Amino acid sequence: MPEFSRPALILASSSRYRRELLERLRIPFSTAVPALDETPQAGETPEATALRLAEAKARAVAATLPANAGRTLVIGSDQVATFDGRQIGKPGTHERALEQLRSMRGREVLFHSALSLLDTATGHADTVDVVTTVRFRDLPDAALDAYLRAETPYDCAGSAKSEGLGIVLLEAIDSDDPTALIGLPLIALTRMLLAARYPLLETRA
């Protein structure tokens, strides 16, 4: 498939982490911020929340495209962390982050990283949930506080960046997709893109 026939690709996210991950694939894309209420619905499981929001983000951005935009693939993604049966959001502050890390030390946390690829030509969205199990080390308060001050991960669910210094807080990570925990499962995404006949490794002759 020649370069000029590539469909447009849009990442429906404001996350710099997802943008940086997608840049690894060395393919052209743009970003758009979906206008969406991300509040979990009553009685909704963490997996259902992540899946619903991933697809909803893609559809919200697709709905803003002009009628003559042509075939476009829109990537939506959402991550929900769960611990003791409850959802864990982004802490926002140092105090909340420290509280999160204290409660999770020595314990396992599940991260649901949902991914959706919407093809505007068909209206179909391929959506999947990639689950990552993370076991936190049992570290003292002083170590947790030092980490938070060093990396300030207040915009990350779980209050730790596994791709950075936060790896020190983790005992083990179990996942089929190593980038899922950072926010965008690239193995799942490349599988979806190839299924949509998007050229990932082809160059113009």
Side-chain angles (χ1 to χ4, degrees):
M1 183 180 295
E3 179 79 12
F4 62 80
S5 66
R6 288 178 189 262
L9 187 66
I10 300 176
L11 175 63
S13 176
S14 61
S15 167
R16 63 184 177 92
Y17 307 113
R18 292 189 178 113
R19 185 181 68 249
E20 289 167 359
L21 285 171
L22 188 55
E23 287 172 349
R24 295 186 188 182
L25 300 184
R26 304 184 184 185
I27 53 179
F29 71 93
S30 59
T31 60
V33 181
L36 197 69
D37 179 3
E38 300 186 28
T39 305
Q41 295 179 352
E44 192 173 45
T45 65
E47 177 184 5
T49 297
L51 287 168
R52 175 178 60 81
L53 290 177
E55 182 172 341
K57 289 176 182 179
R59 292 196 180 279
V61 166
T64 66
L65 300 177
N68 62 349
R71 185 185 181 217
T72 303
L73 299 177
V74 186
I75 303 166
S77 188
D78 190 76
Q79 187 178 76
V80 177
T82 64
F83 173 69
D84 278 351
R86 58 186 175 88
Q87 295 191 20
I88 303 171
K90 299 173 183 178
T93 67
H94 181 89
E95 291 71 26
R96 291 195 188 100
L98 185 58
E99 181 183 353
Q100 279 190 3
L101 292 179
R102 281 171 172 164
S103 67
M104 296 184 300
R105 57 184 165 197
R107 306 285 300 278
E108 286 190 348
V109 179
L110 294 182
F111 288 81
H112 292 272
S113 302
L115 176 70
S116 185
L117 183 67
L118 172 66
D119 188 337
T120 62
T122 63
H124 173 72
D126 189 3
T127 307
V128 67
D129 175 34
V130 180
V131 181
T132 302
T133 302
V134 177
R135 187 164 68 252
F136 282 76
R137 288 184 169 131
D138 189 358
L139 298 176
D141 284 2
L144 301 180
D145 183 76
Y147 163 70
L148 292 174
R149 295 187 185 282
E151 199 157 55
T152 61
Y154 308 135
D155 60 346
C156 298
S159 303
K161 296 180 182 179
S162 63
E163 70 275 24
L165 182 60
I167 200 71
V168 178
L169 276 60
L170 310 182
E171 190 69 43
I173 299 173
D174 183 17
S175 178
D176 293 332
D177 206 325
T179 61
L181 184 59
I182 307 174
L184 190 67
L186 290 183
I187 290 179
L189 177 59
T190 53
R191 181 172 61 246
M192 290 177 176
L193 289 171
L194 290 169
R197 299 183 63 80
Y198 186 95
L200 291 173
L201 296 175
E202 298 177 28
T203 56
R204 181 180 296 176

